[in-house]
Amino acid sequence: MDPLFDFTGKIVLVTGGSRGLGLEMVRAFAARGADLIITSRKEDACEEVAKEVRALGRRALAIGAHAGKWDEIDHMLERAYAEFGRIDIAINNAGMGPAMSSADYTEDLFDKVVGLNFKGPFRIAAKIAQRMKEGEGGVIINVSSSGAVMPLPGVVPYGAAKAALNAMSRSLAAEFAPTVRVNVLSAGPFLTDIAKAWTPEMREKSTNLLGRPGKPEEIVTAALALASPHSSYVTGAFYQADGGY
C-alpha cells in the first residue's frame, strides 16, 4: 500500500455511491483499506456495492436515503454513527440535472434540483463537520461541476446549485478549520449513466482541452488526493477534474 494513499481504518461516506462516479470512489477507497458507508435512494443497489466492499475484507453499511431531504439525511447519519461511531471522510456526490428549457422548469423540479445539489449537501456537510470538529477532525469533499463556472444552457438550475455548493464549501472550510478540511472536486463531463442520453458525438468528443469526456475511473485519483491525510495543507480548494475546461 502506498503510504500516501493508505486509508486503512478510515470510515468513508459516499452519497450517490451505488453507481457512476460515486461507485468508482467507493471501490477506490475500499481497495485502499477504508470501511464504507454507501448511500443512495435505493438501498438494494447500495447493498450490492456493499457486498463488493465486504468481499475485500472491509466493513460496509448500505443506507437508502434521499440526499436532498433533511429528515432522511438525519436518519442516515444516525444509522451511520450508530454503526461506526465516526465518519472520517464524507463525499457529497449525489446530484441531478435534467436538461430542458429554463422556461419549462416547474417549481417542484427546480426545488428538487436545488435540494439534491445544494440544500442536502449543506445539511450533510454541516452535521458531519460539527461531529468531526468535536472529535479528531476529518475531510469533506463536495463534488461539483464545471457547469458552475461556465455557461450551461438547458440545465441552469443545476449549474446555479453547484455554484452555491462551491461558495458553501469555502465558507464551511473557514467555519470548521483547522481540524476539518473542506474542498470542492469539480467534475467535467464523464461517461456515467447520464451519458446514455447524450448524442454519439457528445460521448466521443468534448470542447475541453483533452477533447473528450472522462472515463468514470478517471475521477479516482482526484478524490484520493483530496482525502489523503498527506494533503493536510489543502482546504478551501477548488480541484478540477474536467479535461481542461
Side-chain angles (χ1 to χ4, degrees), residues 6-166:
D6 185 350
F7 293 92
T8 301
K10 296 294 185 182
I11 311 300
V12 181
L13 179 146
V14 182
T15 70
S18 63
R19 63 181 184 175
L21 301 184
L23 174 58
E24 295 296 332
M25 288 186 273
V26 166
R27 288 170 170 165
F29 281 101
R32 289 159 180 81
D35 298 323
L36 271 299
I37 301 159
I38 305 144
T39 80
S40 75
R41 284 178 293 175
K42 298 180 179 179
E43 187 161 330
D44 56 346
C46 294
E47 182 57 34
E48 289 302 309
V49 179
K51 290 176 183 176
E52 284 189 42
V53 174
R54 295 182 195 118
L56 295 173
R58 320 300 181 209
R59 295 173 64 195
L61 175 64
I63 305 177
H66 192 300
K69 297 181 178 180
W70 285 18
D71 56 343
E72 294 191 32
I73 288 169
D74 291 350
H75 178 64
M76 176 265 289
L77 293 177
E78 286 176 9
R79 287 187 60 188
Y81 282 108
E83 177 73 19
F84 288 103
R86 72 179 198 280
I87 295 171
D88 300 305
I89 300 162
I91 303 177
N92 270 316
N93 168 72
M96 64 177 287
M100 65 178 68
S101 167
S102 294
D104 292 335
Y105 261 84
T106 64
E107 183 176 10
D108 180 62
L109 181 57
F110 181 92
D111 289 344
K112 287 179 179 177
V113 171
V114 173
L116 188 58
N117 292 290
F118 174 56
K119 188 178 79 171
F122 167 77
R123 181 69 167 183
I124 293 168
K127 286 292 187 178
I128 293 177
Q130 184 62 44
R131 294 284 290 263
M132 288 176 170
K133 189 170 184 177
E134 293 169 354
E136 298 181 2
V139 179
I140 294 171
I141 300 172
N142 293 319
V143 178
S144 187
S145 167
S146 53
V149 294
M150 60 185 288
L152 202 66
V155 281
V156 173
Y158 172 78
K162 289 299 192 182
L165 183 77
N166 294 350

Side-chain angles (χ1 to χ4, degrees), residues 130-203:
Q130 184 62 44
R131 294 284 290 263
M132 288 176 170
K133 189 170 184 177
E134 293 169 354
E136 298 181 2
V139 179
I140 294 171
I141 300 172
N142 293 319
V143 178
S144 187
S145 167
S146 53
V149 294
M150 60 185 288
L152 202 66
V155 281
V156 173
Y158 172 78
K162 289 299 192 182
L165 183 77
N166 294 350
M168 175 196 84
S169 300
R170 296 198 67 178
S171 293
L172 289 179
E175 182 173 347
F176 291 100
T179 56
V180 181
R181 297 191 296 111
V182 184
N183 293 298
V184 171
L185 172 49
S186 181
F190 276 87
L191 294 170
T192 58
D193 294 347
I194 194 173
K196 295 175 182 177
W198 297 356
T199 65
E201 183 178 6
M202 290 171 64
R203 289 194 289 269

Side-chain angles (χ1 to χ4, degrees), residues 202-218:
M202 290 171 64
R203 289 194 289 269
E204 294 178 4
K205 298 179 181 180
S206 179
T207 57
N208 58 17
L209 297 182
L210 296 186
R212 63 172 177 83
K215 303 171 186 176
E217 60 270 21
E218 291 182 298

